[in-house]
Amino acid sequence: MKSFKVIAPLISLLMLLSLALGSSCSSGTADNDSPDTNNLPVSDTTPTGSQLIASILAASPNITSFDTTSVIDMTMQVSGMSIKTVMTANGKEDLSSKKAYLTSSIIMTGDLASTMEMETYLIDSFQYFRITSTDQNTGMQLNTWYKMLMDTQMQTQTWNAQSQQNNYLFSKSSITVDGSETINGTSCWKVTITPDLTELIKYLNEQQAIEDPSAITNPADSLKNIKLTAWVAKDTSYVIKMNMSMDMLIEAQTLSMVMSTTITNINQPVSITLPPEAVNAIQVG
C-alpha cells in the first residue's frame, strides 16, 4: 500500500494536467512539426505578444470538446530517494456535457519501482475508474470499476480546465512570437512564454502538483529553469500544443518535470458513454 499512496497523487496529477492542457502530442516527428514555408497572405501579419495573449484569452472559452494525449517525464528527489516517473495519457473531453474519458499509464523506476495502467471516465460530478494492470497491491481488484465523488474544486478544475490554464499561464505573462510552424496541418504562431511565477504556482497548486504551496516563500528560488513554448493556431487562436519544463525545489525536495501536450479535433462531435459494467461501480472516498 505504501507504493500506491505515492502513485495515487501522480494519477490525479496526470489526469488533471492531461485534461487541462488537453494534449495529443508525441515526441519527434510524430507531431508532424515543420517550419511553415508557405507564402503567407498579406493579412497574415505577425501579432505582438500582447495582441496574441488577448486573442488566446478570448478564444479559450470557445473550446467545447477535444481529443488529448500527454507525456509527462518527472524525476523526484524526496526523502533520500530518487524516483523517475513517466506518465502518458490518451483521452477526449466533452465540456458541454461534462464528460471525459482517459486511459493512462504510469511507470516508476529508481528507488521506488512500479507500473500501473488505468481507465477513467469523468461523468458530471463522478470519477469512474478501473485499474487494468499493475504490479502493486493497491487494495483494489483488477478490472473492477470504482467511483468517487469529485469535490467542487476538482469539478471546477476539470470542466473549466482550458480557460483556467490559459488565464493562469497567459493573463500576467509575456510572450515572444518566434515565428510560424505547422502542427498537424494547422498553421501556428510559435511563442515563448515568460510566466508570472506567482500565477504559475497558483496554477500548479490548483492542479495538485504542489502538496504545500505555503512552503514556497520565494518563487524565484523554488522554480528554476522554466521553459514554456506554445503553438497557437492562427485561424482560431487556440493553443494546440505546449511544451513545458521546469525544476522545483521545495523544502529540500526537488522535482524536474518535462511535459509535452497538444490538442486535436477541437469542437468536433465526440461520444463518451459510461460502460454498462461501470454503472454499479463500487464507491470509494
Coordinates of all heavy atoms in Angstrom, one line a residue, residues 57-65 95 163 236 238 266-267:
L57 N -6.9 34.5 -24.7 CA -7.9 34.5 -23.6 C -9.3 34.7 -24.1 O -10.2 34.1 -23.5 CB -7.5 35.7 -22.7 CG -6.2 35.6 -22.0 CD1 -5.9 36.9 -21.2 CD2 -6.1 34.4 -21.1
A58 N -9.5 35.3 -25.2 CA -10.8 35.5 -25.8 C -11.3 34.2 -26.4 O -12.5 33.8 -26.4 CB -10.9 36.6 -26.8
A59 N -10.4 33.4 -27.0 CA -10.8 32.2 -27.7 C -11.0 31.0 -26.8 O -11.8 30.1 -27.1 CB -9.7 31.9 -28.8
S60 N -10.2 30.9 -25.7 CA -10.2 29.6 -24.9 C -11.6 29.2 -24.4 O -11.9 28.0 -24.4 CB -9.2 29.7 -23.8 OG -9.5 30.8 -22.9
P61 N -12.5 30.1 -24.0 CA -13.8 29.7 -23.6 C -14.6 29.1 -24.7 O -15.7 28.4 -24.4 CB -14.5 31.0 -23.1 CG -13.3 31.9 -22.8 CD -12.3 31.6 -23.8
N62 N -14.2 29.2 -25.9 CA -15.0 28.7 -27.0 C -14.7 27.2 -27.3 O -15.4 26.6 -28.1 CB -14.7 29.5 -28.3 CG -15.1 30.9 -28.2 OD1 -16.1 31.2 -27.6 ND2 -14.4 31.8 -28.8
I63 N -13.7 26.7 -26.6 CA -13.4 25.2 -26.7 C -14.4 24.4 -26.0 O -14.5 24.5 -24.7 CB -11.9 25.0 -26.3 CG1 -10.9 25.7 -27.1 CG2 -11.6 23.5 -26.3 CD1 -9.5 25.5 -26.7
T64 N -15.1 23.5 -26.7 CA -16.1 22.7 -26.0 C -15.8 21.2 -26.0 O -16.4 20.5 -25.2 CB -17.5 22.9 -26.7 OG1 -17.4 22.6 -28.1 CG2 -17.9 24.4 -26.6
S65 N -14.9 20.8 -26.9 CA -14.5 19.4 -26.9 C -13.2 19.3 -27.6 O -12.8 20.1 -28.4 CB -15.6 18.6 -27.6 OG -15.7 18.9 -29.0
L95 N -16.8 19.2 -22.9 CA -17.1 20.1 -21.8 C -18.6 20.5 -21.7 O -19.1 20.7 -20.6 CB -16.3 21.4 -22.0 CG -14.7 21.2 -22.0 CD1 -14.1 22.5 -22.4 CD2 -14.3 20.8 -20.6
S163 N -9.9 27.3 -19.9 CA -9.9 28.7 -19.6 C -9.0 28.9 -18.4 O -8.3 29.9 -18.3 CB -11.4 29.1 -19.3 OG -12.2 29.1 -20.4
T236 N -7.8 30.4 -35.2 CA -8.7 30.3 -34.1 C -8.1 30.9 -32.8 O -8.9 31.1 -31.9 CB -9.1 28.9 -33.8 OG1 -7.9 28.1 -33.5 CG2 -9.8 28.2 -35.0
Y238 N -6.5 29.2 -30.8 CA -6.5 28.1 -29.8 C -5.0 27.6 -29.6 O -4.2 27.5 -30.5 CB -7.3 26.9 -30.3 CG -8.7 27.1 -30.4 CD1 -9.5 26.4 -31.3 CD2 -9.4 28.0 -29.6 CE1 -10.9 26.6 -31.5 CE2 -10.8 28.3 -29.8 CZ -11.5 27.5 -30.7 OH -12.8 27.7 -30.8
I266 N -10.6 19.7 -32.1 CA -11.3 20.7 -31.3 C -12.7 21.0 -31.8 O -12.9 21.3 -33.0 CB -10.5 22.0 -31.2 CG1 -9.1 21.8 -30.6 CG2 -11.2 23.1 -30.4 CD1 -8.1 22.9 -30.7
N267 N -13.6 21.0 -30.9 CA -15.0 21.3 -31.2 C -15.7 20.3 -32.2 O -16.7 20.7 -32.9 CB -15.2 22.7 -31.6 CG -14.9 23.7 -30.5 OD1 -14.8 23.3 -29.3 ND2 -14.7 24.9 -30.8

